[in-house]
Amino acid sequence: MASSQAQQPECPPGSPLLCATPAEWVELVLGDFDRFLLDHAAAEKKASGMAISMLSHYPDRVELVEAMADLAIEELSHYREVVKWIHQRGGRTGADEKDAYVGRFRKSIRDGKEAYLLDRLLTAGIIEARGAERFALIADALEPGPLHKFYRAIARSEERHFELFRELAELYFAKDVVAQRWQELLEDEAAIVRSLPLRAALH
C-alpha cells in the first residue's frame, strides 16, 4: 500500500542527502516486512551486478577494478544473508521488480566517456547513501536481537560504500568538479524521492 510523502524530517548527521525519509516509510516497511526483505535481497543482488559491470567497463582503472571486485563480493554476501532471513521466515525469492527510483536517477547520468564515468560513480554513491539512511531507520525501529544487529551492520556498510564512490570520483576527477556535480545529483535525487510514493521497499 502506497502513501504520499508529506512533511520531510531532517537528514541524519553525516548524511549528504538533501531529503530525509519520512517516518511513514518505516511504518510501511514494518507492516509488510516480508515484502521488504524480498526487495532488499533484489537490491543487494543488483548492487553486486553493478560493481561487476563497472570493473568490466573500466579495466584500465586499476583502483576502480580492485574496489569494485571487493564491493561485488560484499554485496553478494549481503544478498546471501538476506536470503537466509527470507527462508527462515518461510518465504521464497522471486523475480526482481523494476526499481522506479534507480531507473529515474539513472536518467541523470550524462553521455560522454568522462562525464558518464563521473556520474556513474556519484549516482552509485548517492544510492548507497540513501540505503545507509534507510537501513539505519529500520535498525532503529526493530527490537533488539539478530535482525536489529544485521540492519545496523548493513547501514554502516552502506555508509562506507557511498564514501568509497566519492573517493573514487575524486581520484579520477578534480575535487571542485566532483563537488559541483555531487550537489547537482543530490538535488536530482531529492526531487525523485519527494515525487515517489512510499512503499514497503528500499526505494
Side-chain angles (χ1 to χ4, degrees):
M1 180 178 178
S3 171
S4 60
Q5 293 186 1
Q7 183 177 357
Q8 292 289 335
E10 294 293 325
C11 289
S15 173
L17 300 173
L18 304 181
C19 168
T21 297
E24 290 82 359
W25 175 82
V26 180
E27 295 172 3
L28 284 173
V29 169
L30 295 181
D32 197 354
F33 203 75
D34 289 329
R35 179 182 176 187
F36 173 77
L37 283 172
L38 292 172
D39 184 78
H40 180 187
E44 298 289 1
K45 183 172 56 176
K46 291 173 185 176
S48 181
M50 179 277 299
I52 292 173
S53 173
M54 288 199 72
L55 66 84
S56 300
H57 199 78
Y58 301 102
D60 57 322
R61 310 273 184 168
V62 175
E63 302 87 356
L64 184 149
V65 169
E66 292 180 351
M68 291 300 101
D70 290 340
L71 182 62
I73 293 169
E74 184 177 355
E75 299 285 23
L76 194 58
S77 71
H78 292 167
Y79 170 75
R80 181 179 61 188
E81 293 302 312
V82 179
V83 167
K84 287 179 181 178
W85 282 109
I86 292 169
H87 290 167
Q88 286 177 20
R89 294 166 66 94
R92 294 291 183 270
T93 55
D96 296 342
E97 296 181 0
K98 288 188 177 181
D99 189 324
Y101 163 84
V102 173
R104 286 177 57 178
F105 200 18
R106 282 178 178 165
K107 293 180 181 179
S108 296
I109 298 176
R110 298 167 297 175
D111 293 328
K113 184 177 180 180
E114 295 301 299
Y116 181 80
L117 173 57
L118 175 60
D119 286 2
R120 197 169 181 190
L121 288 169
L122 295 184
T123 54
I126 293 169
I127 290 170
E128 295 285 346
R130 180 61 65 186
E133 181 227 17
R134 291 194 166 183
F135 289 138
L137 288 172
I138 293 169
D140 290 342
L142 291 171
E143 295 293 331
L147 196 57
H148 165 81
K149 291 180 180 178
F150 172 68
Y151 274 101
R152 179 58 61 201
I154 287 285
R156 288 195 295 266
S157 177
E158 299 292 292
E159 288 174 6
R160 293 195 304 272
H161 294 169
F162 92 71
E163 292 168 354
L164 168 65
F165 281 110
R166 177 71 186 256
E167 290 167 2
L168 285 170
E170 292 180 346
L171 180 64
Y172 299 124
F173 300 93
K175 288 189 175 182
D176 60 334
V177 172
V178 173
Q180 179 179 344
R181 188 58 180 154
W182 179 253
Q183 187 64 30
E184 292 169 354
L185 289 170
L186 283 171
E187 292 172 359
D188 287 352
E189 194 268 355
I192 292 168
V193 169
R194 291 190 181 105
S195 69
L196 289 175
L198 298 176
R199 62 195 188 103
L202 182 57
H203 303 128

